[in-house]
Short mmCIF file of all heavy atoms in Angstrom, two decimals:
data_model
loop_
_atom_site.label_atom_id
_atom_site.label_comp_id
_atom_site.label_asym_id
_atom_site.label_seq_id
_atom_site.Cartn_x
_atom_site.Cartn_y
_atom_site.Cartn_z
N MET A 1 45.58 105.56 51.32
CA MET A 1 44.85 105.21 52.53
C MET A 1 43.39 105.58 52.32
O MET A 1 43.08 106.70 51.93
CB MET A 1 45.44 105.97 53.72
CG MET A 1 45.00 105.46 55.02
SD MET A 1 45.70 106.15 56.55
CE MET A 1 47.20 106.93 56.15
N ALA A 2 42.53 104.65 52.54
CA ALA A 2 41.10 104.90 52.36
C ALA A 2 40.60 105.90 53.40
O ALA A 2 41.22 106.08 54.44
CB ALA A 2 40.34 103.58 52.49
N THR A 3 39.47 106.52 53.09
CA THR A 3 38.90 107.52 54.00
C THR A 3 38.68 106.93 55.39
O THR A 3 38.98 107.56 56.39
CB THR A 3 37.56 108.04 53.44
OG1 THR A 3 37.80 108.56 52.13
CG2 THR A 3 36.99 109.13 54.31
N LYS A 4 38.19 105.70 55.45
CA LYS A 4 37.96 105.03 56.73
C LYS A 4 39.26 104.94 57.52
O LYS A 4 39.31 105.22 58.71
CB LYS A 4 37.39 103.64 56.48
CG LYS A 4 37.18 102.80 57.70
CD LYS A 4 36.67 101.43 57.30
CE LYS A 4 37.03 100.43 58.36
NZ LYS A 4 36.82 99.06 57.93
N ASP A 5 40.35 104.54 56.83
CA ASP A 5 41.65 104.42 57.48
C ASP A 5 42.16 105.78 57.94
O ASP A 5 42.78 105.89 58.99
CB ASP A 5 42.67 103.77 56.55
CG ASP A 5 42.36 102.30 56.29
OD1 ASP A 5 41.59 101.70 57.07
OD2 ASP A 5 42.86 101.76 55.29
N THR A 6 41.90 106.82 57.15
CA THR A 6 42.33 108.16 57.52
C THR A 6 41.65 108.59 58.82
O THR A 6 42.28 109.15 59.70
CB THR A 6 42.00 109.17 56.39
OG1 THR A 6 42.65 108.75 55.19
CG2 THR A 6 42.47 110.56 56.74
N LYS A 7 40.36 108.30 58.92
CA LYS A 7 39.63 108.63 60.14
C LYS A 7 40.19 107.87 61.33
O LYS A 7 40.35 108.42 62.41
CB LYS A 7 38.14 108.33 59.97
CG LYS A 7 37.42 109.30 59.06
CD LYS A 7 35.96 108.95 58.93
CE LYS A 7 35.28 109.89 57.95
NZ LYS A 7 33.87 109.53 57.74
N HIS A 8 40.49 106.60 61.13
CA HIS A 8 41.06 105.80 62.21
C HIS A 8 42.43 106.37 62.62
O HIS A 8 42.72 106.46 63.80
CB HIS A 8 41.21 104.33 61.81
CG HIS A 8 39.93 103.59 61.84
ND1 HIS A 8 39.55 102.74 60.84
CD2 HIS A 8 38.93 103.55 62.75
CE1 HIS A 8 38.36 102.22 61.13
NE2 HIS A 8 37.97 102.70 62.28
N PHE A 9 43.24 106.73 61.64
CA PHE A 9 44.57 107.26 61.94
C PHE A 9 44.45 108.56 62.73
O PHE A 9 45.16 108.76 63.71
CB PHE A 9 45.37 107.47 60.65
CG PHE A 9 46.80 107.82 60.91
CD1 PHE A 9 47.70 106.85 61.32
CD2 PHE A 9 47.25 109.11 60.76
CE1 PHE A 9 49.02 107.16 61.57
CE2 PHE A 9 48.57 109.44 61.01
CZ PHE A 9 49.45 108.46 61.42
N LYS A 10 43.54 109.43 62.32
CA LYS A 10 43.33 110.68 63.04
C LYS A 10 42.88 110.41 64.48
O LYS A 10 43.30 111.10 65.40
CB LYS A 10 42.31 111.56 62.32
CG LYS A 10 42.83 112.17 61.05
CD LYS A 10 41.76 113.02 60.38
CE LYS A 10 42.27 113.60 59.09
NZ LYS A 10 41.23 114.39 58.40
N GLN A 11 42.05 109.39 64.65
CA GLN A 11 41.59 109.04 66.00
C GLN A 11 42.76 108.52 66.84
O GLN A 11 42.86 108.84 68.03
CB GLN A 11 40.46 108.02 65.96
CG GLN A 11 39.82 107.81 67.31
CD GLN A 11 39.21 109.09 67.88
OE1 GLN A 11 38.45 109.78 67.21
NE2 GLN A 11 39.55 109.42 69.11
N TYR A 12 43.63 107.71 66.23
CA TYR A 12 44.82 107.25 66.95
C TYR A 12 45.61 108.45 67.46
O TYR A 12 46.04 108.49 68.61
CB TYR A 12 45.73 106.41 66.05
CG TYR A 12 45.26 104.99 65.79
CD1 TYR A 12 45.18 104.48 64.50
CD2 TYR A 12 44.92 104.13 66.83
CE1 TYR A 12 44.78 103.19 64.25
CE2 TYR A 12 44.51 102.83 66.59
CZ TYR A 12 44.45 102.37 65.30
OH TYR A 12 44.04 101.08 65.06
N LEU A 13 45.83 109.43 66.58
CA LEU A 13 46.61 110.60 66.97
C LEU A 13 45.93 111.38 68.09
O LEU A 13 46.59 111.82 69.04
CB LEU A 13 46.84 111.51 65.76
CG LEU A 13 47.74 110.94 64.67
CD1 LEU A 13 47.80 111.91 63.49
CD2 LEU A 13 49.13 110.64 65.19
N LYS A 14 44.61 111.54 68.00
CA LYS A 14 43.88 112.25 69.05
C LYS A 14 43.98 111.53 70.38
O LYS A 14 44.17 112.15 71.43
CB LYS A 14 42.41 112.41 68.65
CG LYS A 14 42.17 113.44 67.58
CD LYS A 14 40.70 113.53 67.23
CE LYS A 14 40.47 114.50 66.08
NZ LYS A 14 39.05 114.55 65.71
N ASP A 15 43.86 110.21 70.34
CA ASP A 15 43.92 109.42 71.57
C ASP A 15 45.32 109.48 72.20
O ASP A 15 45.45 109.57 73.42
CB ASP A 15 43.53 107.97 71.30
CG ASP A 15 42.05 107.82 70.96
OD1 ASP A 15 41.27 108.78 71.20
OD2 ASP A 15 41.67 106.75 70.45
N ILE A 16 46.34 109.45 71.37
CA ILE A 16 47.71 109.58 71.88
C ILE A 16 47.91 110.96 72.49
O ILE A 16 48.52 111.11 73.55
CB ILE A 16 48.74 109.29 70.77
CG1 ILE A 16 48.70 107.81 70.38
CG2 ILE A 16 50.15 109.70 71.21
CD1 ILE A 16 49.46 107.48 69.12
N GLU A 17 47.36 111.97 71.84
CA GLU A 17 47.46 113.34 72.37
C GLU A 17 46.80 113.45 73.73
O GLU A 17 47.33 114.09 74.65
CB GLU A 17 46.83 114.33 71.39
CG GLU A 17 47.00 115.76 71.81
CD GLU A 17 46.46 116.74 70.78
OE1 GLU A 17 46.19 116.34 69.64
OE2 GLU A 17 46.31 117.92 71.13
N LYS A 18 45.65 112.79 73.91
CA LYS A 18 44.97 112.80 75.21
C LYS A 18 45.84 112.17 76.29
O LYS A 18 45.88 112.65 77.43
CB LYS A 18 43.63 112.05 75.12
CG LYS A 18 42.56 112.78 74.37
CD LYS A 18 41.31 111.93 74.30
CE LYS A 18 40.26 112.57 73.40
NZ LYS A 18 39.08 111.71 73.24
N ILE A 19 46.53 111.10 75.93
CA ILE A 19 47.42 110.44 76.90
C ILE A 19 48.57 111.37 77.27
O ILE A 19 48.92 111.50 78.45
CB ILE A 19 47.94 109.10 76.33
CG1 ILE A 19 46.78 108.11 76.22
CG2 ILE A 19 49.07 108.54 77.20
CD1 ILE A 19 47.11 106.85 75.45
N LEU A 20 49.14 112.04 76.28
CA LEU A 20 50.22 113.00 76.56
C LEU A 20 49.74 114.13 77.46
O LEU A 20 50.44 114.54 78.38
CB LEU A 20 50.79 113.56 75.26
CG LEU A 20 51.57 112.57 74.39
CD1 LEU A 20 51.90 113.21 73.04
CD2 LEU A 20 52.82 112.11 75.09
N GLU A 21 48.54 114.62 77.20
CA GLU A 21 47.97 115.67 78.04
C GLU A 21 47.77 115.18 79.47
O GLU A 21 47.98 115.93 80.42
CB GLU A 21 46.65 116.16 77.44
CG GLU A 21 46.83 116.96 76.16
CD GLU A 21 45.52 117.26 75.45
OE1 GLU A 21 44.45 116.77 75.89
OE2 GLU A 21 45.57 117.96 74.42
N TRP A 22 47.35 113.92 79.61
CA TRP A 22 47.19 113.35 80.94
C TRP A 22 48.51 113.38 81.69
O TRP A 22 48.56 113.78 82.85
CB TRP A 22 46.66 111.92 80.83
CG TRP A 22 46.46 111.28 82.18
CD1 TRP A 22 45.35 111.37 82.97
CD2 TRP A 22 47.40 110.48 82.90
NE1 TRP A 22 45.54 110.67 84.13
CE2 TRP A 22 46.81 110.11 84.12
CE3 TRP A 22 48.69 110.04 82.64
CZ2 TRP A 22 47.44 109.33 85.07
CZ3 TRP A 22 49.33 109.25 83.58
CH2 TRP A 22 48.71 108.91 84.78
N PHE A 23 49.59 112.94 81.03
CA PHE A 23 50.90 112.95 81.67
C PHE A 23 51.32 114.37 82.05
O PHE A 23 51.86 114.59 83.13
CB PHE A 23 51.97 112.30 80.77
CG PHE A 23 52.05 110.81 80.91
CD1 PHE A 23 51.42 109.98 80.01
CD2 PHE A 23 52.76 110.24 81.95
CE1 PHE A 23 51.50 108.60 80.13
CE2 PHE A 23 52.84 108.86 82.10
CZ PHE A 23 52.20 108.04 81.18
N ASP A 24 51.10 115.32 81.15
CA ASP A 24 51.46 116.72 81.42
C ASP A 24 50.70 117.29 82.62
O ASP A 24 51.22 118.12 83.36
CB ASP A 24 51.19 117.60 80.20
CG ASP A 24 52.22 117.41 79.10
OD1 ASP A 24 53.31 116.86 79.38
OD2 ASP A 24 51.92 117.79 77.95
N ALA A 25 49.48 116.81 82.83
CA ALA A 25 48.63 117.36 83.89
C ALA A 25 48.92 116.76 85.27
O ALA A 25 48.42 117.26 86.28
CB ALA A 25 47.16 117.13 83.55
N GLN A 26 49.73 115.74 85.33
CA GLN A 26 49.97 115.05 86.60
C GLN A 26 50.94 115.80 87.49
O GLN A 26 52.02 116.18 87.06
CB GLN A 26 50.50 113.63 86.34
CG GLN A 26 49.56 112.75 85.56
CD GLN A 26 48.18 112.68 86.16
OE1 GLN A 26 48.00 112.27 87.30
NE2 GLN A 26 47.19 113.10 85.39
N GLU A 27 50.53 116.02 88.72
CA GLU A 27 51.41 116.60 89.74
C GLU A 27 52.19 115.46 90.39
O GLU A 27 53.39 115.47 90.46
CB GLU A 27 50.59 117.36 90.78
CG GLU A 27 49.90 118.60 90.26
CD GLU A 27 50.85 119.76 90.07
OE1 GLU A 27 51.82 119.87 90.85
OE2 GLU A 27 50.62 120.55 89.14
N ASP A 28 51.43 114.50 90.92
CA ASP A 28 52.01 113.31 91.53
C ASP A 28 51.59 112.12 90.65
O ASP A 28 50.41 111.80 90.57
CB ASP A 28 51.48 113.10 92.95
CG ASP A 28 51.92 114.22 93.87
OD1 ASP A 28 53.10 114.63 93.78
OD2 ASP A 28 51.09 114.68 94.67
N LEU A 29 52.55 111.51 90.01
CA LEU A 29 52.27 110.45 89.05
C LEU A 29 51.91 109.14 89.74
O LEU A 29 52.65 108.65 90.60
CB LEU A 29 53.50 110.24 88.15
CG LEU A 29 53.29 109.38 86.93
CD1 LEU A 29 52.30 110.04 85.97
CD2 LEU A 29 54.61 109.17 86.22
N ASP A 30 50.76 108.62 89.40
CA ASP A 30 50.33 107.30 89.85
C ASP A 30 50.99 106.29 88.91
O ASP A 30 50.64 106.21 87.73
CB ASP A 30 48.81 107.20 89.78
CG ASP A 30 48.27 105.83 90.16
OD1 ASP A 30 49.04 104.85 90.19
OD2 ASP A 30 47.06 105.75 90.43
N VAL A 31 51.94 105.53 89.42
CA VAL A 31 52.74 104.64 88.58
C VAL A 31 51.87 103.59 87.88
O VAL A 31 52.07 103.31 86.69
CB VAL A 31 53.86 103.97 89.41
CG1 VAL A 31 54.64 102.98 88.57
CG2 VAL A 31 54.79 105.01 90.00
N GLU A 32 50.93 103.03 88.58
CA GLU A 32 50.06 102.01 87.97
C GLU A 32 49.23 102.59 86.85
O GLU A 32 49.09 101.99 85.78
CB GLU A 32 49.17 101.36 89.03
CG GLU A 32 49.93 100.44 89.96
CD GLU A 32 49.02 99.72 90.94
OE1 GLU A 32 47.84 99.45 90.59
OE2 GLU A 32 49.48 99.44 92.05
N GLU A 33 48.68 103.76 87.06
CA GLU A 33 47.88 104.42 86.02
C GLU A 33 48.78 104.82 84.85
O GLU A 33 48.39 104.71 83.69
CB GLU A 33 47.14 105.63 86.58
CG GLU A 33 46.17 106.26 85.62
CD GLU A 33 45.00 105.35 85.24
OE1 GLU A 33 44.65 104.46 86.01
OE2 GLU A 33 44.45 105.57 84.14
N ALA A 34 49.97 105.30 85.16
CA ALA A 34 50.92 105.68 84.11
C ALA A 34 51.28 104.47 83.25
O ALA A 34 51.36 104.58 82.02
CB ALA A 34 52.18 106.29 84.72
N LEU A 35 51.48 103.33 83.86
CA LEU A 35 51.79 102.11 83.13
C LEU A 35 50.64 101.74 82.19
O LEU A 35 50.86 101.37 81.04
CB LEU A 35 52.10 100.97 84.09
CG LEU A 35 52.48 99.63 83.45
CD1 LEU A 35 53.70 99.79 82.55
CD2 LEU A 35 52.75 98.60 84.53
N LYS A 36 49.40 101.87 82.67
CA LYS A 36 48.24 101.60 81.83
C LYS A 36 48.22 102.55 80.62
O LYS A 36 47.94 102.12 79.50
CB LYS A 36 46.94 101.78 82.62
CG LYS A 36 46.69 100.70 83.64
CD LYS A 36 45.40 101.00 84.40
CE LYS A 36 45.22 100.07 85.57
NZ LYS A 36 44.02 100.41 86.37
N LYS A 37 48.53 103.82 80.87
CA LYS A 37 48.54 104.81 79.79
C LYS A 37 49.64 104.50 78.77
O LYS A 37 49.43 104.64 77.56
CB LYS A 37 48.73 106.22 80.34
CG LYS A 37 47.63 106.69 81.27
CD LYS A 37 46.37 107.01 80.50
CE LYS A 37 45.32 107.61 81.42
NZ LYS A 37 44.06 107.87 80.72
N VAL A 38 50.80 104.08 79.25
CA VAL A 38 51.90 103.74 78.34
C VAL A 38 51.52 102.53 77.48
O VAL A 38 51.76 102.52 76.27
CB VAL A 38 53.20 103.47 79.13
CG1 VAL A 38 54.26 102.84 78.25
CG2 VAL A 38 53.72 104.76 79.75
N LYS A 39 50.89 101.53 78.09
CA LYS A 39 50.45 100.36 77.34
C LYS A 39 49.41 100.75 76.30
O LYS A 39 49.44 100.27 75.16
CB LYS A 39 49.90 99.29 78.28
CG LYS A 39 50.96 98.60 79.10
CD LYS A 39 50.35 97.57 80.03
CE LYS A 39 51.44 96.86 80.84
NZ LYS A 39 50.86 95.85 81.75
N GLU A 40 48.49 101.61 76.68
CA GLU A 40 47.46 102.07 75.77
C GLU A 40 48.10 102.83 74.59
O GLU A 40 47.75 102.61 73.43
CB GLU A 40 46.47 102.99 76.50
CG GLU A 40 45.34 103.49 75.66
CD GLU A 40 44.40 104.41 76.43
OE1 GLU A 40 44.48 104.48 77.67
OE2 GLU A 40 43.58 105.07 75.77
N ALA A 41 49.04 103.70 74.89
CA ALA A 41 49.72 104.45 73.85
C ALA A 41 50.49 103.52 72.91
O ALA A 41 50.50 103.72 71.69
CB ALA A 41 50.67 105.48 74.46
N THR A 42 51.09 102.49 73.48
CA THR A 42 51.84 101.53 72.66
C THR A 42 50.91 100.84 71.66
O THR A 42 51.27 100.69 70.49
CB THR A 42 52.52 100.47 73.57
OG1 THR A 42 53.41 101.15 74.46
CG2 THR A 42 53.28 99.45 72.76
N GLU A 43 49.74 100.47 72.11
CA GLU A 43 48.77 99.83 71.21
C GLU A 43 48.30 100.80 70.13
O GLU A 43 48.14 100.42 68.97
CB GLU A 43 47.57 99.29 71.99
CG GLU A 43 47.91 98.10 72.85
CD GLU A 43 48.43 96.93 72.04
OE1 GLU A 43 47.86 96.60 70.99
OE2 GLU A 43 49.44 96.33 72.46
N LEU A 44 48.08 102.05 70.50
CA LEU A 44 47.66 103.05 69.53
C LEU A 44 48.76 103.28 68.48
O LEU A 44 48.47 103.37 67.28
CB LEU A 44 47.33 104.37 70.24
CG LEU A 44 46.08 104.35 71.10
CD1 LEU A 44 46.03 105.58 72.00
CD2 LEU A 44 44.84 104.27 70.23
N ILE A 45 49.98 103.36 68.93
CA ILE A 45 51.10 103.55 68.00
C ILE A 45 51.22 102.35 67.07
O ILE A 45 51.41 102.52 65.85
CB ILE A 45 52.42 103.79 68.78
CG1 ILE A 45 52.35 105.16 69.48
CG2 ILE A 45 53.64 103.70 67.86
CD1 ILE A 45 53.44 105.38 70.52
N ARG A 46 51.09 101.16 67.61
CA ARG A 46 51.14 99.95 66.79
C ARG A 46 50.05 99.98 65.71
O ARG A 46 50.29 99.69 64.54
CB ARG A 46 51.01 98.71 67.67
CG ARG A 46 51.19 97.41 66.91
CD ARG A 46 51.16 96.19 67.83
NE ARG A 46 52.34 96.21 68.68
CZ ARG A 46 52.32 96.14 70.02
NH1 ARG A 46 51.18 96.03 70.65
NH2 ARG A 46 53.42 96.18 70.71
N GLY A 47 48.84 100.33 66.11
CA GLY A 47 47.73 100.40 65.15
C GLY A 47 47.97 101.45 64.08
O GLY A 47 47.70 101.22 62.90
N GLY A 48 48.50 102.59 64.47
CA GLY A 48 48.81 103.64 63.50
C GLY A 48 49.88 103.20 62.52
O GLY A 48 49.79 103.48 61.31
N LYS A 49 50.89 102.51 63.02
CA LYS A 49 51.95 102.01 62.15
C LYS A 49 51.41 101.00 61.14
O LYS A 49 51.82 100.98 59.98
CB LYS A 49 53.08 101.39 62.98
CG LYS A 49 53.95 102.43 63.69
CD LYS A 49 54.99 101.77 64.56
CE LYS A 49 56.07 101.12 63.71
NZ LYS A 49 57.19 100.60 64.53
N GLU A 50 50.48 100.17 61.58
CA GLU A 50 49.88 99.20 60.67
C GLU A 50 49.10 99.89 59.56
O GLU A 50 49.19 99.51 58.39
CB GLU A 50 48.97 98.25 61.44
CG GLU A 50 49.72 97.26 62.31
CD GLU A 50 48.81 96.42 63.20
OE1 GLU A 50 47.56 96.51 63.07
OE2 GLU A 50 49.35 95.68 64.04
N LEU A 51 48.36 100.93 59.90
CA LEU A 51 47.63 101.68 58.88
C LEU A 51 48.59 102.34 57.89
O LEU A 51 48.35 102.34 56.69
CB LEU A 51 46.74 102.75 59.53
CG LEU A 51 45.48 102.27 60.22
CD1 LEU A 51 44.75 103.45 60.86
CD2 LEU A 51 44.57 101.56 59.23
N LEU A 52 49.68 102.89 58.40
CA LEU A 52 50.67 103.51 57.52
C LEU A 52 51.32 102.48 56.60
O LEU A 52 51.55 102.76 55.41
CB LEU A 52 51.73 104.24 58.33
CG LEU A 52 51.27 105.52 59.03
CD1 LEU A 52 52.38 106.07 59.92
CD2 LEU A 52 50.83 106.57 58.02
N ALA A 53 51.59 101.30 57.11
CA ALA A 53 52.18 100.24 56.29
C ALA A 53 51.22 99.82 55.18
O ALA A 53 51.63 99.61 54.03
CB ALA A 53 52.55 99.05 57.16
N GLU A 54 49.94 99.72 55.51
CA GLU A 54 48.93 99.39 54.50
C GLU A 54 48.87 100.45 53.42
O GLU A 54 48.79 100.13 52.23
CB GLU A 54 47.56 99.22 55.15
CG GLU A 54 47.43 98.00 56.01
CD GLU A 54 46.12 97.95 56.79
OE1 GLU A 54 45.19 98.73 56.46
OE2 GLU A 54 46.03 97.15 57.73
N ALA A 55 48.93 101.71 53.83
CA ALA A 55 48.90 102.80 52.86
C ALA A 55 50.14 102.76 51.96
O ALA A 55 50.04 102.96 50.75
CB ALA A 55 48.82 104.15 53.58
N GLU A 56 51.28 102.48 52.55
CA GLU A 56 52.52 102.38 51.77
C GLU A 56 52.40 101.26 50.73
O GLU A 56 52.81 101.43 49.58
CB GLU A 56 53.71 102.13 52.69
CG GLU A 56 55.03 102.10 51.96
CD GLU A 56 56.21 101.90 52.89
OE1 GLU A 56 56.02 101.58 54.08
OE2 GLU A 56 57.34 102.05 52.42
N ASN A 57 51.84 100.13 51.12
CA ASN A 57 51.64 99.02 50.18
C ASN A 57 50.72 99.43 49.04
O ASN A 57 50.98 99.09 47.88
CB ASN A 57 51.07 97.80 50.90
CG ASN A 57 52.08 97.13 51.80
OD1 ASN A 57 53.29 97.27 51.62
ND2 ASN A 57 51.59 96.41 52.78
N GLU A 58 49.66 100.16 49.35
CA GLU A 58 48.74 100.63 48.31
C GLU A 58 49.46 101.56 47.33
O GLU A 58 49.28 101.46 46.12
CB GLU A 58 47.54 101.34 48.93
CG GLU A 58 46.57 100.41 49.62
CD GLU A 58 45.36 101.14 50.19
OE1 GLU A 58 44.84 102.05 49.51
OE2 GLU A 58 44.95 100.78 51.31
N PHE A 59 50.29 102.47 47.85
CA PHE A 59 51.02 103.38 46.99
C PHE A 59 52.00 102.63 46.10
O PHE A 59 52.17 102.96 44.93
CB PHE A 59 51.78 104.45 47.81
CG PHE A 59 50.90 105.56 48.30
CD1 PHE A 59 50.73 105.75 49.66
CD2 PHE A 59 50.22 106.39 47.43
CE1 PHE A 59 49.91 106.78 50.13
CE2 PHE A 59 49.42 107.41 47.87
CZ PHE A 59 49.25 107.60 49.24
N THR A 60 52.63 101.60 46.63
CA THR A 60 53.56 100.78 45.85
C THR A 60 52.84 100.10 44.71
O THR A 60 53.32 100.08 43.57
CB THR A 60 54.25 99.75 46.76
OG1 THR A 60 54.96 100.44 47.80
CG2 THR A 60 55.23 98.90 45.97
N ILE A 61 51.67 99.55 44.99
CA ILE A 61 50.87 98.89 43.95
C ILE A 61 50.46 99.88 42.87
O ILE A 61 50.60 99.60 41.68
CB ILE A 61 49.63 98.20 44.57
CG1 ILE A 61 50.07 97.02 45.44
CG2 ILE A 61 48.64 97.77 43.50
CD1 ILE A 61 48.98 96.45 46.32
N ILE A 62 50.00 101.05 43.28
CA ILE A 62 49.58 102.08 42.32
C ILE A 62 50.76 102.52 41.47
O ILE A 62 50.65 102.67 40.25
CB ILE A 62 48.94 103.28 43.06
CG1 ILE A 62 47.61 102.85 43.68
CG2 ILE A 62 48.75 104.46 42.10
CD1 ILE A 62 47.01 103.85 44.65
N LYS A 63 51.90 102.70 42.09
CA LYS A 63 53.11 103.13 41.38
C LYS A 63 53.49 102.09 40.32
O LYS A 63 53.82 102.43 39.18
CB LYS A 63 54.27 103.35 42.35
CG LYS A 63 55.54 103.80 41.70
CD LYS A 63 56.64 103.98 42.73
CE LYS A 63 57.95 104.34 42.08
NZ LYS A 63 59.03 104.44 43.05
N LYS A 64 53.42 100.80 40.68
CA LYS A 64 53.75 99.74 39.73
C LYS A 64 52.78 99.74 38.56
O LYS A 64 53.16 99.51 37.41
CB LYS A 64 53.72 98.38 40.42
CG LYS A 64 54.91 98.13 41.30
CD LYS A 64 54.83 96.77 41.98
CE LYS A 64 56.03 96.55 42.87
NZ LYS A 64 55.95 95.25 43.58
N GLU A 65 51.50 100.02 38.84
CA GLU A 65 50.50 100.07 37.77
C GLU A 65 50.75 101.23 36.82
O GLU A 65 50.58 101.11 35.62
CB GLU A 65 49.10 100.18 38.37
CG GLU A 65 48.64 98.92 39.07
CD GLU A 65 47.31 99.10 39.78
OE1 GLU A 65 46.75 100.22 39.80
OE2 GLU A 65 46.81 98.09 40.34
N ILE A 66 51.17 102.35 37.37
CA ILE A 66 51.42 103.55 36.54
C ILE A 66 52.68 103.40 35.71
O ILE A 66 52.71 103.69 34.53
CB ILE A 66 51.50 104.80 37.43
CG1 ILE A 66 50.12 105.09 38.04
CG2 ILE A 66 52.00 106.00 36.64
CD1 ILE A 66 50.11 106.20 39.07
N VAL A 67 53.76 102.91 36.36
CA VAL A 67 55.06 102.80 35.70
C VAL A 67 55.04 101.65 34.69
O VAL A 67 55.66 101.73 33.65
CB VAL A 67 56.18 102.61 36.74
CG1 VAL A 67 57.51 102.34 36.08
CG2 VAL A 67 56.27 103.84 37.63
N GLY A 68 54.33 100.63 34.99
CA GLY A 68 54.25 99.52 34.03
C GLY A 68 54.83 98.34 34.58
O GLY A 68 55.19 97.36 34.55
#
């Protein structure tokens, strides 16, 4: 995973953590706002998974080059 991708992945994790903290801080949950947060988290998770898949592909290519 390139340095740029690593930074993006770390940001995804930080943003997801902020959403979790928001849920933890709620006394009375606003359902509409909660739904927005869940959708936002879903997009962040999707983006993180894509970065991980790209990194896995890079490792596979490198492994093939090393092994022959």
Side-chain angles (χ1 to χ4, degrees):
M1 194 175 340
T3 304
K4 176 183 155 192
D5 292 341
T6 302
K7 288 180 183 177
H8 283 135
F9 188 75
K10 287 179 182 178
Q11 189 60 51
Y12 283 130
L13 293 176
K14 286 179 184 178
D15 291 346
I16 291 168
E17 185 175 346
K18 288 178 187 176
I19 292 170
L20 291 172
E21 289 171 355
W22 180 86
F23 274 98
D24 286 342
Q26 299 307 301
E27 293 284 327
D28 295 318
L29 192 64
D30 177 343
V31 176
E32 288 184 31
E33 187 64 25
L35 182 57
K36 289 178 189 176
K37 298 287 186 183
V38 168
K39 288 179 180 180
E40 182 181 348
T42 300
E43 290 300 315
L44 291 167
I45 291 167
R46 185 175 293 126
K49 286 177 71 174
E50 288 174 6
L51 286 177
L52 289 174
E54 290 173 14
E56 183 178 11
N57 289 337
E58 288 182 40
F59 282 117
T60 301
I61 292 168
I62 292 168
K63 181 180 175 183
K64 285 180 181 178
E65 290 174 356
I66 292 173
V67 174

